Amino acid sequence: MQCVVCDEPGRMSIHERDLPGQAPEGWVLVDIAAAGICGTDYHIFEGKHPFLQYPRLIGHELSGHVASGPNKGQLVVINPYISCGTCRACRRGKPNCCTRIEVLGVHRDGGMCQRIAVPAENLYPAEGLTPEQAAMVEFLAIGAHAVQRSGTGPGDVVLVTGAGPIGIGTALFARIAGAEVHLMDLSDARLELAGSLFGFDKHHKPGEDILQGDLAEGFDVVFDATGNAKAIEAGFPLVAHGGSTVLVSVVKDDISFTDSEFHKREARIIGSRNALKDDFERVMKAIRDGHIPTDAIASRTIALPDLPKHFPGLVEDRENLVKVLVTP
């Protein structure tokens, strides 16, 4: 089978590997139907991912058809977070933050190929979805999980900083939860895309004095999807009294804030990592119910053998893309 492998930073190629013919006990073979390109994949190509060893078969936003057994042919969404099942987090129903988690396409080889073996419990039936829609579920589940963690609800005024795909997904589920959604980004192109494709028209730029008028008291929730430490720190003063900062993105840097202000506001900082089965199910229901404009999300589709030659251009043009899908 053909596989897309990032051999080293800046170099991607097609590798030929044997098509898996048997899965380990408790695992299932899945023929990949579609795969999404994530910001993580761009970072891998650029050599910016802190937890990765090269070469790496990329791809963790995956849909496919079960290749064998009683459910052969069934369309499924693949949960790419392989958890140990025994650590404290797993025992408490939080496999998304397992202490020994392995993410497909990052800690171990992923699914930008034609067939992959996955633990049976990591497969979720995608009834009523197309293969392309099913490949969007994982990245949208990141935002759905963050919104669920935050407790966002009707009447809340929220700010999503970072209008890339994860930020857009977060904004969509905050809107579904009933909140008034504002976006902040350095990129005019990203903000314009969010407005034209998804109807988010409340835009702000970093450094602007936005705490005035109806926003004078701040935002009930500030979601950070920038992956930038300075942006995270700049978001703390924008949180209203009694409000929350939700860290959807992750940075390697230390983050600082003024304790007296934080305490005075009785603010909360919430980490949000990956997603749970319930989040995947919530996303699929939202797609089936017509609340997620998947046609607007899908910016472009590329055949798997052509991906290496197109990838450098995608990296350069990512401001103008929401989600690129790859089909085997």
Side-chain angles (χ1 to χ4, degrees):
M1 65 174 180
Q2 294 184 317
C3 308
V4 176
V5 175
C6 191
D7 300 291
E8 61 186 19
R11 185 163 68 90
M12 182 178 286
S13 63
I14 295 291
H15 287 213
E16 293 284 343
R17 297 188 181 180
D18 291 338
L19 187 75
Q22 189 172 359
E25 184 178 354
W27 292 49
V28 177
L29 294 177
V30 180
D31 289 327
I32 298 299
I37 296 176
C38 175
T40 297
D41 300 317
Y42 294 135
H43 292 154
I44 290 170
F45 185 78
E46 294 172 316
K48 295 179 179 178
H49 200 288
F51 308 123
L52 186 125
Q53 292 184 329
Y54 298 88
R56 177 61 72 216
L57 197 173
I58 64 170
H60 65 271
E61 300 180 2
L62 307 168
S63 72
H65 293 96
V66 176
S68 61
N71 296 318
K72 184 176 180 179
Q74 182 182 49
L75 179 66
V76 292
V77 172
I78 297 175
N79 178 337
Y81 323 129
I82 312 299
S83 57
C84 73
T86 59
C87 72
R88 185 170 182 82
C90 287
R91 296 197 309 271
R92 298 180 68 210
K94 299 182 178 182
N96 61 305
C97 54
C98 166
T99 57
R100 293 184 289 276
I101 199 167
E102 291 186 308
V103 180
L104 296 177
V106 180
H107 306 96
R108 60 189 299 154
D109 279 347
M112 201 72 77
C113 57
Q114 291 169 287
R115 178 178 287 181
I116 188 173
V118 184
E121 64 266 24
N122 285 59
L123 301 180
Y124 308 142
E127 183 180 353
L129 274 60
T130 67
E132 292 76 19
Q133 289 174 322
M136 300 178 195
V137 170
E138 189 274 339
F139 99 86
L140 289 167
I142 300 292
H145 183 69
V147 172
Q148 182 74 6
R149 294 264 296 147
S150 72
T152 296
D156 286 341
V157 181
V158 309
L159 175 68
V160 179
T161 61
I166 296 298
I168 291 297
T170 303
L172 287 168
F173 279 92
R175 183 164 66 189
I176 290 171
E180 175 184 305
V181 180
H182 296 243
L183 296 181
M184 177 181 286
D185 200 289
L186 281 168
S187 168
D188 289 324
R190 283 200 184 281
L191 292 174
E192 289 169 8
L193 206 63
S196 62
L197 293 180
F198 307 106
F200 293 115
D201 56 3
K202 295 178 172 60
H203 301 165
H204 308 282
K205 299 298 288 289
E208 291 179 355
D209 180 15
I210 62 177
L211 297 183
Q212 50 186 313
D214 293 340
L215 300 177
E217 294 184 284
F219 296 91
D220 299 298
V221 188
V222 174
F223 295 94
D224 180 85
T226 66
N228 182 283
K230 295 301 181 185
I232 293 171
E233 292 177 346
F236 289 131
L238 304 179
V239 178
H241 282 237
S244 303
T245 291
V246 183
L247 302 182
V248 191
S249 64
V250 60
V251 297
K252 293 192 292 183
D253 313 84
D254 291 336
I255 303 297
S256 64
F257 55 88
T258 303
D259 180 65
S260 58
E261 277 297 319
F262 184 80
H263 190 87
K264 181 173 69 176
R265 298 171 193 227
E266 198 181 54
R268 297 189 302 168
I269 299 177
I270 301 170
S272 183
R273 186 181 185 192
N274 300 328
L276 295 165
K277 181 179 180 180
D278 285 350
D279 303 307
F280 282 79
E281 299 286 357
R282 190 177 303 111
V283 171
M284 286 191 277
K285 184 179 187 305
I287 293 174
R288 286 193 293 265
D289 291 346
H291 298 313
I292 301 294
T294 53
D295 286 347
I297 291 172
S299 305
R300 187 175 174 188
T301 301
I302 297 174
L304 185 144
D306 297 329
L307 185 59
K309 70 181 179 184
H310 287 293
F311 207 84
L314 299 178
V315 172
E316 293 300 318
D317 196 37
R318 64 184 129 173
E319 271 194 3
N320 299 304
L321 302 168
V322 181
K323 184 58 56 182
V324 176
L325 297 171
V326 179
T327 55

